[in-house]
Amino acid sequence: MRSFFEKFMIFMQGRYGFDTLGKFLLCVSLMIWFVGIFVFSFPARLIIRLINLALVGYIIFRALSMNIVKRSAENRAFLKLYNPVKAWFKLTWQKFRDRKDFRYIKCPVCKAQLRVKNKKGKHTVRCPKCSSEFEKKI
């Protein structure tokens, strides 16, 4: 007799499953659900629930879809928007975390972010991306 997980694995063969877009939509759905807890007006609560239900339905549709090419194209289009935003938040967090020991500057040639020690004086900085050297006063 097969276990539930074996039956589920057999069912999911050839289906798309979860990806970054699905996880993002799930997080959005949970946030909408959480906001809906604090809405007491009947029409607004109904609209929030319908939006959330449609979103969960779309998440399930994408996960169970057998059209893998189309779902992966949707995910690639989403990642083109998502990755720059994620990179910006990651860089901002790193800047905040390193604010006492390091300073972030931009290379004047290629505009790459460079991390230099936060020591007073003039520094000769060499960009690892474009190999240009420039002076920076901190």
Side-chain angles (χ1 to χ4, degrees):
M1 183 144 183
R2 293 183 177 170
S3 69
F4 173 75
F5 292 108
E6 288 174 343
K7 290 178 184 176
F8 185 72
M9 285 173 45
I10 291 169
F11 173 74
M12 287 301 289
Q13 283 180 346
R15 298 185 189 275
Y16 189 65
F18 272 110
D19 58 358
T20 308
L21 176 58
K23 292 173 188 174
F24 177 78
L25 291 175
L26 185 63
C27 291
V28 169
S29 174
L30 289 173
M31 285 189 276
I32 291 173
W33 172 77
F34 186 72
V35 167
I37 291 173
F38 299 105
V39 175
F40 298 110
S41 164
F42 175 71
R45 179 180 274 186
L46 181 65
I47 290 170
I48 288 174
R49 285 187 180 169
L50 288 174
I51 290 171
N52 201 14
L53 185 64
L55 198 56
V56 169
Y58 184 62
I59 292 167
I60 293 171
F61 165 75
R62 288 190 83 251
L64 297 179
S65 175
M66 292 182 129
N67 192 350
I68 294 173
V69 174
K70 188 147 185 168
R71 300 293 87 80
S72 60
E74 291 171 355
N75 190 48
R76 278 193 306 274
F78 170 72
L79 286 176
K80 285 182 183 177
L81 300 171
Y82 177 75
N83 284 338
V85 174
K86 181 181 173 185
W88 182 84
F89 276 106
K90 185 176 180 180
L91 179 65
T92 304
W93 171 250
Q94 283 179 334
K95 285 180 179 181
F96 177 75
R97 186 188 62 204
D98 297 340
R99 69 188 180 278
K100 293 179 182 176
D101 300 325
F102 296 97
R103 177 104 27 119
Y104 284 81
I105 59 173
K106 280 190 177 181
C107 173
V109 178
C110 68
K111 307 297 185 214
Q113 289 283 337
L114 306 174
R115 188 176 80 158
V116 295
K117 287 274 190 187
N118 197 9
K119 292 184 179 177
K120 295 201 183 265
K122 280 192 175 181
H123 296 276
T124 303
V125 181
R126 184 174 179 272
C127 178
K129 194 172 183 183
C130 66
S131 300
S132 65
E133 288 190 8
F134 58 95
E135 293 277 325
K136 184 67 178 178
K137 184 180 176 187
I138 295 179

